[in-house]
């Protein structure tokens, strides 16, 4: 039985009577060291899992904020292998589980086995794969078993019951439920389809389901924490890092994790 | 049947040239026509976000039922005939042939279709499918503007809302086509991300699709992307190859020695190739955009220099760097300026059925001028790559042949060059420093009138 680092992090939060907070930041933004510092700040201020994105030339699932950040990281010379330094830098300094979010071509280019080996060596927990569905993932499933990595596939409001069951069965760590049909980016409200998607994913056999896309405020966190095992925040953190550096990330993480404390 | 007489000189009764390498591919791979996907060898598939899988499933289901539905096929045939003007002609280019080693060159005149290119074949089919799925809005990407114009046309004809994503750089290069789309009632959204060309327009269209998929169909313009797009887009373009095959048999009594087409994503090419894939005596050539020359790094020769990867939903050859980041492509032709290629082409390359070669901007523009001045046909710059390739193929075939006029080369003339007149005038130095055509600004009357207007 493979021990899942991401599942363990969610279970630790659960033991404290709350959902897990998962914070996303891109590797290499604004540079490699700054992204390590920001990841550490996330972990020390309440995030249970750190999701590190690999900047990619064609990020079709990302909205304007993350696109701008990853484009800048690439313009500053970000290289894919640096993601392992970011993962190691954060895991060495904190207890957080670190997962990497990546479009599939950079992994394919390095070699799925080679990428997986290096990720495991750096202490990474696994991968979130926005453009890889289990149907195409035979090579990744083999490598993630070999190196004991989590496979975090996505489910969507449009997923059929059959696809939910298949995706849940292929996942390890947690299942990433996208709250809306769309791309990443802060939204005023979290769609109410998220709750029914989480319920359906649980019914399909998932032990841990975390909700992402459009989650930017403590009130969203509170709302989602009532029915999901974890809450994923991305663009709002990237905006904070862009506008206020690491201190702004610390402040927003504290504010978001306050969402778990029931309002008196 | 006419096909019984369809033997090349030197072919045996089965139509197979003795010792021809084509024989081995057929015995090894069987029939290549009508490949259904999702995989073409190790290429193709669905490398897409889960959010879009339901829409791809729905599209595949709708398409599978439609192509088995006589009513749908009749609807397509009727539109092809009475709206697009099919069948398009097969024209022998006698004066142009003299420059291609003296072989007989025939042009498949997709430039004569309504909207001026092959793109209309695919958009009518997909727009009909969109209606079958109850979708009210179509989105499209465009490079040169040909697919955008075709999409806007189909949307107008069938009463669908249409939004076209176009790289800001391409909007500049093809501003006349932007106006055409707007006149047809479409909304054109310039894309300022990345290289501001076709690949970035596709990214933006995919973001729109994932957000609006419940009422929107993504009318992808080339035989690339996630399944079922490559096989479906080819299906709607197969009419090119079918007509060409019949026409060359009717006009010459035999199959050609070679078929040539240009390759961006590869939709016009796969359409004409399809008619001849299972004819081992027919050599097939795809010509990629060599830009400034493949040795300069400024090109769009995906198969020639790329390596397999995933982009926009399919595994295929891809121009990418050591990190798997997509490399920006370069070509004088906006329609070929794409760092990917359809997965069926990757497969046909790997098994050796089709030969893919780069053509530089200079070679393409020389062919552009040559066809204009020998045949009175101004070709699209995209298609000029196929013409330049045909010149090379013709000369190669003619080597050591006593009578080259017994050899036949067909070129898919995928589009007309009206949209490229500005680019060509610039290329050939016909413009002055103000961008006006030299010799047209001698009159003082017009400029005076202009001054009056401004005043």
């Amino acid at each position: 039985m493979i021990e899942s680092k991401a599942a363990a992090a969610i279970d630790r939060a659960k033991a404290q009577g709350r959902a897990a907070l998962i914070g996303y930041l891109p590797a290499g933004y604004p540079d490699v060291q700054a992204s390590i510092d920001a990841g550490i700040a996330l972990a020390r201020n309440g995030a249970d899992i750190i999701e590190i994105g690999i900047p990619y030339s064609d990020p079709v699932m990302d909205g304007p904020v993350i696109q701008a950040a990853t484009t800048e990281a690439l313009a500053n010379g970000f290289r894919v292998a640096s993601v392992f330094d970011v993962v190691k830098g954060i895991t060495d300094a904190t207890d957080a589980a670190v997962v990497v979010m990546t479009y599939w071509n950079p992994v394919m280019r390095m070699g799925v086995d080679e990428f997986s080996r290096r990720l495991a060596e750096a202490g990474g927990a696994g991968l979130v794969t926005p453009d890889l569905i289990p149907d195409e993932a035979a090579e990744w499933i083999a490598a993630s078993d070999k190196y004991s990595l989590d496979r975090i596939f996505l489910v969507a409001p449009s997923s059929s019951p059959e696809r939910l069951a298949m995706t849940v069965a292929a996942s390890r760590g947690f299942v990433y439920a996208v709250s809306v049909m769309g791309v990443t980016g802060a939204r005023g409200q979290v769609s109410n389809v998220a709750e029914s998607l989480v319920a359906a994913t649980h019914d399909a056999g998932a032990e841990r389901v975390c909700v992402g896309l459009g989650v930017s405020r403590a009130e969203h966190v509170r709302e989602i924490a009532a029915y999901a095992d974890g809450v994923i925040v991305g663009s709002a953190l990237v905006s904070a890092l862009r506008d206020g550096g690491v201190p702004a990330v610390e402040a927003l993480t504290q504010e978001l994790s306050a969402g778990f404390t029931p309002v008196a | 049947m006419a096909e019984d007489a369809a033997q090349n000189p030197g072919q045996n009764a089965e139509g197979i040239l003795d010792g021809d390498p084509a024989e081995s591919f057929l015995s090894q791979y069987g029939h290549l026509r009508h490949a259904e996907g999702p995989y073409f060898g190790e290429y193709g598939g669905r490398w897409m976000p889960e959010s879009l899988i339901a829409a791809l499933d729905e599209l595949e289901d709708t398409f599978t039922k439609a192509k088995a539905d006589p009513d749908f096929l009749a609807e397509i045939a009727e539109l092809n005939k009475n709206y697009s003007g099919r069948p398009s002609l097969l024209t022998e280019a006698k004066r142009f042939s003299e420059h291609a080693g003296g072989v007989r060159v025939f042009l498949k005149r997709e430039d004569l279709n309504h909207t001026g290119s092959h793109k209309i074949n695919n958009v009518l089919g997909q727009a009909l499918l969109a209606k079958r799925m109850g979708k009210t809005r179509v989105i499209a990407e465009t490079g040169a503007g040909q697919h955008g114009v075709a999409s806007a046309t189909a949307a107008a004809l069938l009463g669908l809302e249409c939004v076209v994503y176009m790289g800001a750089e391409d909007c500049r290069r093809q501003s006349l086509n932007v106006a055409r789309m707007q006149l047809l009632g479409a909304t054109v959204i310039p894309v300022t991300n990345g290289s501001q060309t076709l690949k970035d327009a596709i990214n933006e269209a995919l973001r729109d699709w994932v957000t609006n998929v419940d009422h929107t169909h993504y009318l992808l313009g080339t035989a690339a992307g996630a399944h079922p797009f490559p096989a479906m887009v080819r299906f709607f373009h197969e009419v090119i190859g079918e007509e060409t095959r019949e026409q060359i048999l009717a006009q010459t009594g035999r199959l050609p020695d070679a078929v040539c087409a240009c390759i961006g994503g590869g939709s016009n090419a796969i359409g004409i190739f399809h008619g001849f894939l299972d004819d081992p005596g027919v050599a097939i050539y795809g010509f990629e955009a060599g830009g400034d020359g493949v040795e300069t790094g400024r090109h769009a020769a995906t198969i020639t220099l790329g390596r397999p990867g995933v982009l926009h939903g399919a595994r295929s050859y891809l121009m990418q760097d050591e990190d798997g980041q997509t490399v920006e492509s370069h070509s004088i032709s906006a329609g070929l300026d794409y760092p990917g290629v359809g997965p069926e082409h990757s497969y046909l390359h790997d098994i050796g059925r089709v030969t893919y070669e780069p053509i530089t901007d200079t070679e393409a523009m020389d062919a552009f001028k040559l066809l204009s001045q020998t045949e009175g046909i101004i070709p699209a710059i995209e298609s000029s790559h196929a013409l330049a390739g045909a010149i090379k193929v013709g000369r190669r075939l003619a080597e050591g042949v006593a009578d080259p006029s017994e050899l036949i080369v067909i070129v898919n003339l995928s589009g007309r060059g009206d949209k490229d007149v500005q680019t060509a005038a610039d290329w050939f130095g016909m413009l002055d420093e103000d961008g006006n055509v030299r010799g047209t600004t001698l009159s003082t009357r017009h400029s005076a009138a202009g001054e009056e207007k401004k005043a």
Side-chain angles (χ1 to χ4, degrees), chain B residues 107-342:
Chain B
L107 308 174
K108 179 57 177 168
R109 303 292 305 281
E110 292 298 295
D111 62 314
L112 295 177
N113 296 337
H114 179 48
T115 75
S117 80
H118 69 290
K119 296 286 187 187
I120 193 75
N121 305 330
N122 169 48
V123 295
L124 290 174
Q126 283 199 49
L128 287 175
L129 290 179
K131 294 204 81 160
R132 286 198 159 210
M133 293 185 286
K135 306 218 168 176
T136 55
R137 178 174 178 265
V138 293
I139 55 173
E141 81 295 337
T142 198
Q146 285 177 317
H147 175 58
V149 167
S151 298
T153 300
L157 178 69
L158 297 172
L160 297 161
E161 182 190 349
C162 180
V163 172
V164 179
Y165 290 92
M166 186 169 187
E169 169 67 11
D170 290 337
C171 287
R172 186 191 62 76
R173 285 193 280 195
Q174 303 285 347
S175 60
L176 207 58
N177 269 340
V178 174
R180 287 170 80 195
M181 289 181 263
Q182 290 169 341
L183 288 168
L184 289 161
T187 304
V188 180
I189 301 183
V191 176
T192 54
N193 301 334
S195 58
Q196 311 192 6
T197 59
L198 186 54
K199 98 176 164 71
D200 306 285
I202 294 176
N203 292 343
E204 211 53 33
L206 285 169
R207 293 184 187 114
D208 179 316
W209 199 29
V210 76
T211 306
N212 300 301
V213 66
D214 58 328
H215 66 289
T216 297
H217 173 63
Y218 182 9
L219 216 167
L220 185 70
T222 192
H227 179 71
F229 282 104
M232 181 178 72
V233 173
R234 186 203 63 224
F235 176 81
F236 292 126
H237 285 305
E238 283 171 10
V239 65
I240 306 172
E242 285 162 11
E243 286 176 7
T244 306
R245 201 170 192 284
E246 277 179 31
Q247 288 166 323
I248 199 70
L249 288 174
Q251 290 183 29
T252 70
R254 70 175 189 88
L255 290 174
D257 297 279
V259 172
C260 301
C262 64
I263 311 265
S267 70
N268 88 81
I270 204 71
I272 194 164
F273 292 175
H274 191 262
F276 303 95
L277 280 178
D278 288 342
D279 297 307
V282 180
I284 305 181
Y285 294 89
F287 294 100
E288 302 191 298
D292 293 346
V294 291
E295 69 289 350
T296 66
R298 290 177 53 82
H299 61 84
T302 307
I303 291 180
T304 306
L305 285 182
R307 55 180 290 159
V310 290
L311 177 69
H312 296 148
R315 185 167 192 275
S316 197
Y317 278 85
L318 176 63
M319 288 173 57
Q320 54 180 319
D321 69 12
E322 296 179 325
D323 274 0
Q325 309 285 358
T326 310
V327 171
E328 285 181 18
S329 53
H330 293 276
S331 170
I332 190 172
S333 150
L336 303 183
D337 199 349
Y338 180 58
V341 67

Side-chain angles (χ1 to χ4, degrees), chain A residues 54-63 67 74 78-81 104-106 108-110 130-136 154-160 163-164 167 178 180-183 187, chain B residues 39 44-55 57 193-194 199-200 202-204 206-213 307-312 315 318 320-327:
Chain A
I54 296 182
Y56 175 54
S57 52
D58 296 275
V60 295
M61 276 295 281
D62 284 307
Q67 276 182 54
L74 289 172
F78 175 82
R79 296 296 309 266
V80 167
W104 200 243
N105 198 52
M108 199 177 253
R109 181 68 179 85
M110 184 176 288
D131 63 352
L132 179 71
I133 55 175
D135 320 47
E136 305 285 3
L154 280 65
V155 292
S158 56
S159 301
S160 65
R163 290 201 59 81
L164 283 181
T167 305
V178 304
V180 285
M181 296 298 288
V183 296
R187 289 172 176 81
Chain B
Y39 301 102
R46 298 198 297 184
W47 306 81
M48 284 293 252
E50 171 66 21
S51 298
L52 289 171
I53 298 298
D57 281 342
N193 301 334
K199 98 176 164 71
D200 306 285
I202 294 176
N203 292 343
E204 211 53 33
L206 285 169
R207 293 184 187 114
D208 179 316
W209 199 29
V210 76
T211 306
N212 300 301
V213 66
R307 55 180 290 159
V310 290
L311 177 69
H312 296 148
R315 185 167 192 275
L318 176 63
Q320 54 180 319
D321 69 12
E322 296 179 325
D323 274 0
Q325 309 285 358
T326 310
V327 171

